[in-house]
């Protein structure tokens, strides 16, 4: 049975190969199928179209709370976020494109830095990681941005809002829906649409006034300078959400994707047995609750089918529409500049996913110094500027070393007592410094620059 199938490929190589490959020279022939990802842009492009066709979202401030240095205040507000779903699944029209069903109020938070008490400041969009909302992460994880004079705005993604902050409960809900209905719920791609709306809302932020500081005694001048470049930070799962946003958000000048990289099936297998402290994601237990006696073959086939159903939402599939195959959005193929930050060794995100993100975007180079070589990615020496999109975008992957991550390689400053690469990539002194420099050059230069870790 195998020989006739292999013969089809071998005969073609011998007759039409360039150069021809005689059958005697073939050591191995495998048969496999591939499919195009070109149609995956249909949903986010329709979402973008709907967001731009709607009246600009008007934020409604619900309360303002005092900050702590270097934060001057925290502003809580809401905007009417679009929803293309009926329940947890997108609704499609006869043309195969998603239909906008409704809008609903979604809360967001803006951290206002003390620098805004003297002059309007630029804004950074923030996407939180798994298990935590934007409030906690903006308060503490983004404090370096406040110190540098950036306001930080973020909202809670819909799977955290609608299901739970617990990743086991999130995976249980998603897999339960899949097993009962045969379709993956559309939490991830709906978040992309909400992010696109949030980006537009930020561009209109001060149309209804944005004077909140000094706290308790606003001074009459806007706190935010929306004429300056909009930047983006996504941490962990927020980085995953960010890689699906970047191709469709030319309004963003520079984005930092920090310790993330999503390929759905690989993440499920990696995190379930490898979860920190022995706590996995629980998806195997969920499957066994529905079907007892699942064999390894059943599992592999089932997860493969899950990935086929998840592919159009999988952020890494959308990353290919950045530099490798740039999709036109609202009349432009301009793309944000992107800094990918990897922590060695990461027990939450497989390195294949982070590095696969760089490859899928368009062979984004590893920025020297290279701590762990990546055979399929080029290497670039900093400073790095305009290496993509015909000189209009900068992109690079930077590695950071946790304590004990690589034999004989000392940890980066800030990671001397950090053995988990996932957090080292977020908090290393060099990681923060390079992120800030990247954003600061986005404010002052036509194209931002990625500097090396030793640049002051």
């Amino acid at each position: 049975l195998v020989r006739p199938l292999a013969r089809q490929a071998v005969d073609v190589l011998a007759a039409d190969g360039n150069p021809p490959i005689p059958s005697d020279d073939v050591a191995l022939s495998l048969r496999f199928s591939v499919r195009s990802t070109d149609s995956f842009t249909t949903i986010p492009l329709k979402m973008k179209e709907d967001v731009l066709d709607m009246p600009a979202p008007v934020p409604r401030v619900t309360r303002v709370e005092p900050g702590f240095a270097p934060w001057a205040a925290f502003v809580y507000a809401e905007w009417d976020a679009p929803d293309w779903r009926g329940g947890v699944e997108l609704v499609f029209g006869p043309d195969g494109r998603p239909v906008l069903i409704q809008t609903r109020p979604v809360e967001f938070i803006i951290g206002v830095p003390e620098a805004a008490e003297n002059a309007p400041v630029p804004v950074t969009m923030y996407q939180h990681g798994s298990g935590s909302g934007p409030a906690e992460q903006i308060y503490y994880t983004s404090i370096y941005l406040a110190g540098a004079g950036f306001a930080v705005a973020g909202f809670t993604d819909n799977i955290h809002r609608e299901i739970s902050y617990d990743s086991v409960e999130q995976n249980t809900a998603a897999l339960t829906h899949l097993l009962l209905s045969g379709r993956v719920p559309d939490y991830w791609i709906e978040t992309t649409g909400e992010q696109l709306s949030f980006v537009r809302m930020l561009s209109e932020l001060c149309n209804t006034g944005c004077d909140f500081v000094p706290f308790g005694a606003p001074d009459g001048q806007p706190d935010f300078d929306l004429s300056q470049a909009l930047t983006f930070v996504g941490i962990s799962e927020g980085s995953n959400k960010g890689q699906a946003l970047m191709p469709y958000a030319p309004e963003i000048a520079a984005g930092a994707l920090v310790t993330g990289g999503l390929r759905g099936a690989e993440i499920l297998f990696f995190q379930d047995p490898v979860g920190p402290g022995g706590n996995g994601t629980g998806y195997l237990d969920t499957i066994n609750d529905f079907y007892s006696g699942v064999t390894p073959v059943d599992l592999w086939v089932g997860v493969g089918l899950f990935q086929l159903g998840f592919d159009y939402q999988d952020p890494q599939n959308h990353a290919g529409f950045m530099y490798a195959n740039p999709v036109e959005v609202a009349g432009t193929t301009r793309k944000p500049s992107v800094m990918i930050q990897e922590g060695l060794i990461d027990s939450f995100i497989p390195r294949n996913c982070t590095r696969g993100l760089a490859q899928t975007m368009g062979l984004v180079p590893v920025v020297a110094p290279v701590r762990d070589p990546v055979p399929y990615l080029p290497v670039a020496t900093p400073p790095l500027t305009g290496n993509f999109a015909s000189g209009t975008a900068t992109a690079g992957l930077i590695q950071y070393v946790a304590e004990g991550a690589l034999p004989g390689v000392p940890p980066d400053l800030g990671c001397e007592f950090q053995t988990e690469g996932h957090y080292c990539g977020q908090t290393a002194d060099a990681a923060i410094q390079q992120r800030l420099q990247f954003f600061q050059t986005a404010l002052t230069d036509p194209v931002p620059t990625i500097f090396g870790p030793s640049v002051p």
Side-chain angles (χ1 to χ4, degrees):
L1 293 177
V2 175
R3 287 181 182 275
L5 293 174
R7 176 56 57 188
Q8 295 177 24
V10 171
D11 288 348
V12 169
L13 288 173
D16 301 322
N18 185 18
I21 302 176
S23 59
D24 290 345
D25 289 347
V26 176
L28 177 66
S29 174
L30 298 175
R31 188 180 182 94
F32 61 92
S33 299
V34 296
R35 64 171 176 162
S36 171
T37 62
D38 288 350
S39 64
F40 292 173
T41 63
T42 299
I43 294 173
L45 287 177
K46 174 56 161 55
M47 289 175 164
K48 183 77 172 188
E49 180 182 314
D50 288 341
V51 164
L52 295 178
D53 285 345
M54 298 168 63
V58 177
R60 299 179 294 275
V61 176
T62 56
R63 68 187 190 276
V64 182
E65 297 181 351
F68 50 86
W71 296 112
F74 298 106
V75 180
Y76 290 81
E78 62 182 21
W79 95 103
D80 291 327
D83 194 343
W84 292 265
R85 298 172 301 166
V88 297
E89 296 181 6
L90 296 179
V91 176
F92 292 94
D95 60 359
R97 303 198 303 166
V99 177
L100 178 60
I101 300 300
Q102 62 178 342
T103 61
R104 56 208 172 107
V106 174
E107 184 179 75
F108 66 96
I109 179 176
I110 305 178
V112 185
E114 291 176 337
E117 296 177 350
N118 300 317
V121 298
V123 177
T124 294
M125 178 179 169
Y126 186 95
Q127 196 64 50
H128 66 90
S130 181
S132 181
E136 177 186 349
Q137 292 195 356
I138 286 175
Y139 288 174
Y140 303 108
T141 309
S142 294
I143 200 163
Y144 67 94
L145 286 167
F150 287 85
V152 183
F155 71 97
T156 304
D157 68 39
N158 63 81
I159 196 169
H160 281 76
R161 296 195 314 263
E162 297 169 12
I163 302 300
S164 168
Y165 278 71
D166 183 89
S167 61
V168 174
E169 293 181 12
Q170 291 177 8
N171 285 327
T172 298
L175 288 167
T176 298
H177 185 84
L178 172 62
L179 293 171
L180 292 176
S181 71
R183 181 171 165 183
V184 179
D186 289 311
Y187 295 117
W188 294 268
I189 198 70
E190 167 64 21
T191 292
T192 301
E194 290 180 356
Q195 288 179 314
L196 292 170
S197 175
F198 193 69
V199 167
R200 186 171 187 211
M201 188 275 296
L202 289 177
S203 70
E204 306 286 340
L205 192 60
C206 290
N207 286 356
T208 56
C210 54
D211 179 20
F212 307 106
V213 298
F215 177 77
D219 56 13
Q221 72 171 352
D223 296 332
F224 314 125
D225 183 355
L226 303 182
S227 68
Q228 296 201 60
L230 176 65
T231 51
F232 174 92
V233 176
I235 302 291
S236 188
E237 176 62 12
S239 170
N240 299 339
K241 298 296 197 306
Q243 63 189 274
L245 169 67
M246 293 290 110
Y248 310 103
E251 302 93 334
I252 295 173
L257 304 179
V258 185
T259 61
L262 180 61
R263 292 204 293 242
E266 185 168 357
I267 289 286
L268 285 176
F269 272 111
F270 183 82
Q271 290 189 347
D272 197 82
V274 181
N279 298 316
T281 55
Y283 88 96
L284 293 175
D285 293 335
T286 303
I287 291 173
N288 282 321
D289 287 342
F290 280 86
Y291 304 105
S292 60
V294 174
T295 68
V297 172
D298 295 331
L299 184 63
W300 280 107
V301 171
V303 172
L305 292 172
F306 155 78
Q307 184 63 49
L308 286 173
F310 181 63
D311 267 346
Y312 69 92
Q313 297 191 74
D314 198 317
Q316 197 147 124
N317 285 332
H318 290 276
F321 301 111
M322 282 288 285
Y323 314 124
N325 184 22
V327 61
E328 182 176 306
V329 179
T332 181
T333 56
R334 198 200 81 79
K335 301 301 173 189
S337 294
V338 173
M339 172 184 287
I340 303 171
Q341 297 185 304
E342 175 189 15
L344 307 173
I345 293 176
D346 191 328
S347 64
F348 292 81
I349 302 294
R351 63 182 182 179
N352 294 333
C353 290
T354 305
R355 298 169 185 186
L357 167 61
Q359 181 188 39
T360 302
M361 273 192 175
L363 292 179
V364 170
V366 182
V367 179
V370 178
R371 272 60 180 277
D372 189 27
V374 185
Y376 50 85
L377 294 178
V379 175
T381 302
L384 190 63
T385 305
N387 58 324
F388 279 96
S390 301
T392 63
T394 304
L397 166 67
I398 308 173
Q399 301 173 329
Y400 305 95
V401 182
E403 173 64 36
L406 295 176
V409 179
D412 281 306
L413 290 177
C415 296
E416 296 90 342
F417 305 101
Q418 178 58 264
T419 59
E420 172 54 66
H422 193 68
Y423 299 119
C424 175
Q426 298 175 29
T427 61
D429 292 354
I432 291 173
Q433 176 196 60
Q434 289 174 299
R435 223 174 293 153
L436 281 176
Q437 291 171 326
F438 188 50
F439 288 172
Q440 287 164 339
T441 57
L443 300 178
T444 59
D445 303 332
V447 183
T449 297
I450 295 176
F451 291 101
S454 61
V455 176

